[in-house]
Amino acid sequence: MRETLLFAYHGVAVYSSDIKSLREGHWLNDTILGFYFEYLTRDILRGDSSIVLLKPAVVQLLQQQTDLNSVLQALPPDLYKHEIIFMPIGNGTHWSLLVYCRQAYPAPFHYFDSMANANFKHALAAKLKLEQILFGSQQLPMVTHSCPQQENSYDCGVFVVLFADLLVRRYADLRLPPKMPVQVDIPRA
């Protein structure tokens, strides 16, 4: 059976099965996350090259691939020039968000997880690989932020979308300089 292509948005093809992941009781798949990250990039950031939102498949490759050349080919060119890098962290059953902010002090890495620290080891793997690519092997601090927690086992992708949207809009709408630390007080429900 051939799947129905519903629409394509700047290289992200959304099929009928992807829309099913939007139903209650399902967790968002990487196509939907990739679509929303592309929307933030195209329609909210509108060409602001200081911020990049990596697609879930690229972050998976970053986490799992041991061959750095393969990873480098999948990453945006001149990744080191971006001030802020958003990375959706997936482990097959849960999504969280890792944000790198080059000039944030005292810690350039910021971790947001709607299920305590369920994805921490996967975020740490992505962080270490990104550090290896950007700096050699330097280990920089990472802050785990207190943020709203999901009340079920499937809303993690929605929380990643909300966290990313809030942070991207904060930088884009308020025109905060990228050197500002990613300090976010996300209201709890």
Side-chain angles (χ1 to χ4, degrees):
M1 182 173 155
R2 193 166 180 198
E3 260 209 272
T4 305
L5 173 66
L6 298 177
F7 63 92
Y9 182 79
H10 298 283
V12 179
V14 178
Y15 292 87
S16 53
S17 63
D18 299 316
I19 298 301
K20 291 176 185 174
S21 79
L22 295 170
R23 293 180 181 161
E24 186 170 346
H26 295 81
W27 60 287
L28 299 185
N29 66 17
D30 42 337
T31 300
I32 296 299
L33 284 173
F35 162 76
Y36 201 80
F37 274 34
E38 193 65 32
Y39 159 75
L40 289 172
T41 299
R42 301 284 181 158
D43 292 349
I44 304 303
L45 293 174
R46 298 178 189 205
D48 181 348
S49 63
S50 66
I51 300 172
V52 65
L53 291 92
L54 297 180
K55 290 182 172 63
V58 172
V59 177
Q60 287 289 336
L61 184 67
L62 179 71
Q63 289 174 251
Q64 298 171 359
Q65 182 60 256
T66 56
D67 177 27
L68 277 182
N69 287 328
S70 297
V71 175
L72 289 171
Q73 291 175 12
L75 290 170
D78 299 329
L79 187 65
Y80 65 93
K81 290 183 180 178
H82 296 286
E83 294 287 332
I84 302 169
I85 302 170
F86 286 81
M87 295 169 278
I89 304 296
N91 69 5
T93 61
H94 182 60
W95 291 108
S96 58
L97 181 66
L98 181 63
V99 180
Y100 167 74
C101 186
R102 185 178 351 157
Q103 296 190 22
Y105 181 82
F109 286 94
H110 300 269
Y111 178 62
F112 302 87
D113 194 331
S114 62
M115 194 178 274
N117 284 327
N119 257 1
F120 186 79
K121 74 176 187 174
H122 300 281
L124 188 58
K127 172 194 172 290
L128 293 173
K129 189 73 68 74
L130 186 65
E131 286 175 327
Q132 189 176 8
I133 290 167
L134 296 177
F135 312 111
S137 63
Q138 186 174 0
Q139 289 195 5
L140 301 170
M142 178 167 69
V143 174
T144 299
H145 289 271
S146 174
C147 57
Q149 300 293 291
Q150 62 193 75
E151 296 178 1
N152 54 44
S153 62
Y154 51 84
D155 277 344
C156 52
V158 174
F159 278 85
V160 167
V161 163
L162 291 173
F163 297 156
D165 187 274
L166 176 70
L167 293 167
V168 165
R169 288 177 191 272
R170 180 160 293 172
Y171 286 117
D173 292 346
L174 299 178
R175 303 287 186 235
L176 291 176
K179 65 182 179 183
M180 295 295 291
V182 180
Q183 180 58 42
V184 177
D185 295 318
I186 299 174
R188 293 185 179 264

